[in-house]
Amino acid sequence: MSQPTRSTTVTRGPHQWLALLVGAVFLVIGIVGFFITGFEGWTEHDHSQTLLGFAINPAHNVVHVLVGLLGVVLWRTASGARTFGWLLVIGYGATFIYGLFVVDNPDANFLNLNWADNWLHLASVVAGLVIALWPRRRDVATGADR
């Protein structure tokens, strides 16, 4: 006698898809950035090295790749996506504040930030808040948060 099978379809919440999208964009930007900067001058302050108007250097590219990988890995579960959201809020909130102080100081600007970067970092904080604070829904079948 065979057992009835239960559907194991996983429904992802909008915050999870946003985490995946943000992660994928950061990952692609980080990889493409290396085609522009190469692998030398890791912390060089050179605003001529830009990607879509955003200043980059190899260290900045590594940050983008790591953030992207986190998003691509953590999006799969509701709690993982929320964790990624909070990491964006904390990490890019700190980077935004750091950028305000170093954007015009080449000696302290090891990530080669410009004003466009600062505004993008603030937008990343907002995206992180949306991901982290998206309203929770209870899955009636499993009792899990979505």
Side-chain angles (χ1 to χ4, degrees):
M1 183 162 155
S2 67
Q3 296 284 338
T5 58
R6 191 172 111 179
S7 173
T8 57
T9 305
V10 176
T11 304
R12 309 244 193 251
H15 67 293
Q16 289 175 265
W17 292 108
L18 181 57
L20 176 61
L21 176 67
V22 170
V25 167
F26 272 110
L27 184 59
V28 168
I29 293 299
I31 292 168
V32 170
F34 281 112
F35 287 99
I36 295 168
T37 65
F39 294 92
E40 294 178 12
W42 281 86
T43 59
E44 203 169 80
H45 180 78
D46 177 7
H47 285 320
S48 69
Q49 293 184 328
T50 61
L51 176 60
L52 301 173
F54 302 100
I56 55 175
N57 64 16
H60 203 155
N61 296 334
V62 168
V63 171
H64 289 154
V65 167
L66 292 175
V67 169
L69 286 173
L70 280 171
V72 169
V73 168
L74 292 175
W75 81 280
R76 289 181 180 91
T77 65
S79 62
R82 291 181 201 290
T83 298
F84 177 66
W86 286 119
L87 290 171
L88 286 175
V89 170
I90 294 164
Y92 280 107
T95 306
F96 172 73
I97 293 168
Y98 165 74
L100 293 177
F101 290 101
V102 302
V103 73
D104 295 320
N105 182 354
D107 296 331
N109 193 350
F110 64 90
L111 289 176
N112 196 28
L113 303 177
N114 64 11
W115 281 104
D117 289 307
N118 285 340
W119 292 115
L120 180 63
H121 296 153
L122 187 58
S124 297
V125 169
V126 172
L129 284 171
V130 169
I131 294 166
L133 299 176
W134 193 267
R136 295 178 189 271
R137 291 186 333 186
R138 247 346 181 181
D139 186 330
V140 240
T142 65
D145 277 340
R146 289 192 288 172

